[in-house]
């Protein structure tokens, strides 16, 4: 992650002695704070001041590490995409077969959609995003989709999916998974893995009746 | 839906001779204008003034029929949902069988996602929507989903879809179709019906290899 450190003390919020000015900004904590602000009031609600408040640091301290709102979104973006891309890459590089790879990718994406459900649309919408962050999101999306298209093609070759345009099928699958972020509720007893099971069953066809 | 152009014909939208004050406001033309404004600049870009300009009527005239921005969105909402609901209802009331009904619903929804792709998110997002319009959207969504759940249940009973929670499967299918509004391009040669074919193939399973 590309957040310059303000100092080398290495202390976290909880480890910082009371009264001592906080100098280190943990990018993960910034990402969490930005995600919360976004969830509370959308893009307009994300600000340096609000983030500083959530982190219990002064604005001046936060400014030294994260000078602009664009940088705040950049940090959330990095957190959102890096893990997802690494997990997807790991699936296809260590996968055991076309069926298992496809199913594992579905699980990775459903899990991400649920985990990032409160702010996923900030990237997919693009509206109001700093051009730099939007460009990085576009780059990520393209590379991430390439992983999927490869896995979908292999699944078609193996007869796990019916023959079709792999890019269209990839986008249908991704849309189905992304949209889960819109209707997922924590209180209905379904886990992300339960929902991923349903996705997998749905694209596996009805089977013998 | 098209907005008839008045320029060059000596007549305006309703066929009214130039120079005569316009009194009638066609809701379909208002909906088109609002959709255009939304597509051009998002929710913030929707205004009475901008709509009046697109319709070539005075603000005062538009205000008499559509006094608030909320009313503008209400008109777009009515246009967006009424046709969709009627089409879906027609499918299930006149359908020929569980497989045909499910496939017809998929075609209706894919077509709507493509047709309304530039402003569909204004409703699904909910952010910034007038509470009244949002409430009506929620009501519509619930009733529309009920139609789908019925068709999905029947498809499961008939072995057209694998057995699963009909509501979850409905939401997966709807999400897959709604998301098409995000990636559909007019210039890649695929029609909404081509994409609906892919959706239907995908949920029909790989079949015999």
């Amino acid at each position: 992650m590309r957040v310059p450190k303000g100092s080398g003390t290495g202390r976290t919020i909880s480890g910082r002695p009371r009264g001592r000015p906080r100098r280190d900004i943990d990018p993960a904590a910034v990402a969490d704070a930005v995600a919360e602000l976004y969830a509370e009031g959308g893009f307009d609600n994300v600000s340096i001041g609000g983030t500083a408040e959530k982190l219990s640091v002064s604005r001046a301290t936060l400014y030294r590490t994260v000078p602009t709102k664009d940088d705040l979104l950049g940090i959330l973006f990095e957190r959102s995409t890096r893990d997802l891309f690494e997990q997807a890459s790991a699936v296809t590089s260590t996968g055991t077969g076309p069926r298992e790879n496809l199913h594992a990718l579905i699980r990775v994406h459903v899990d991400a959609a649920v985990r990032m459900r409160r702010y996923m649309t900030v990237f997919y919408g693009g509206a109001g995003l700093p051009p730099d962050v939007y460009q990085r999101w576009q780059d990520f999306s393209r590379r991430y989709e390439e992983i999927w298209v490869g896995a979908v093609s292999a699944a078609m070759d193996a007869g796990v999916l019916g023959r079709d345009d792999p890019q269209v099928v990839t986008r249908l699958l991704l849309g189905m998974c992304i949209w889960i972020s819109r209707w997922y509720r924590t209180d209905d007893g379904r886990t992300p893995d339960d929902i991923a099971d349903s996705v997998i069953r749905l694209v596996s066809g009805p089977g013998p009746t």
Side-chain angles (χ1 to χ4, degrees), chain A:
Chain A
M1 212 165 286
R2 281 178 276 242
V3 184
K5 301 290 182 187
S7 82
T9 62
R11 300 272 194 137
T12 63
I13 291 174
S14 53
R16 170 173 56 93
R18 193 170 284 280
R20 182 175 160 191
R22 176 171 170 72
R23 297 182 192 284
D24 257 12
I25 301 292
D26 173 14
V30 172
D32 283 334
V34 173
E36 276 176 39
L37 289 167
Y38 182 78
E40 286 162 13
F43 187 78
D44 292 344
N45 195 45
V46 175
S47 67
I48 300 272
T51 306
E53 200 174 313
K54 287 220 179 264
L55 295 175
S56 305
V57 300
S58 72
R59 281 168 187 248
T61 301
L62 185 59
Y63 269 120
R64 276 198 295 275
T65 311
V66 190
T68 69
K69 179 170 170 174
D70 288 13
D71 295 318
L72 287 177
L73 288 162
I75 288 170
L76 179 61
F77 164 81
E78 287 294 340
R79 208 268 297 268
S80 305
T81 56
R82 196 191 44 195
D83 291 356
L84 186 54
F85 190 79
E86 283 174 4
Q87 287 173 33
S89 303
V91 163
T92 47
S93 62
T94 65
T96 49
R99 182 184 305 271
E100 292 74 14
N101 285 2
L102 178 68
H103 295 181
L105 277 186
I106 288 171
R107 287 190 196 284
V108 163
H109 202 72
V110 171
D111 185 65
V114 169
R115 206 162 17 86
M116 308 198 291
R117 66 189 176 280
R118 296 188 307 165
Y119 58 89
M120 209 170 200
T121 50
V122 75
F123 299 119
Y124 278 111
L129 270 190
D132 168 57
V133 174
Y134 187 63
Q135 184 58 52
R136 283 151 72 198
W137 173 258
Q138 296 277 70
D139 293 344
F140 157 77
S141 293
R142 196 177 49 247
R143 291 186 304 134
Y144 183 68
E145 188 178 288
E146 277 169 15
I147 293 179
W148 268 81
V149 168
V152 165
S153 297
M156 287 178 183
D157 290 343
V160 171
L161 291 176
R163 182 66 63 189
D164 206 330
D165 182 326
Q167 192 182 47
V168 168
V169 170
T170 291
R171 289 175 174 181
L172 293 175
L173 289 170
L174 286 176
M176 181 158 56
C177 297
I178 290 163
W179 199 251
I180 294 166
S181 64
R182 305 301 285 270
W183 56 265
Y184 179 79
R185 296 290 173 272
T186 49
D187 57 6
D188 78 352
R190 272 187 282 264
T191 67
D193 237 32
D194 294 335
I195 299 171
D197 286 340
S198 290
V199 173
I200 290 166
R201 276 195 293 270
L202 180 58
V203 302
S204 300
T209 52

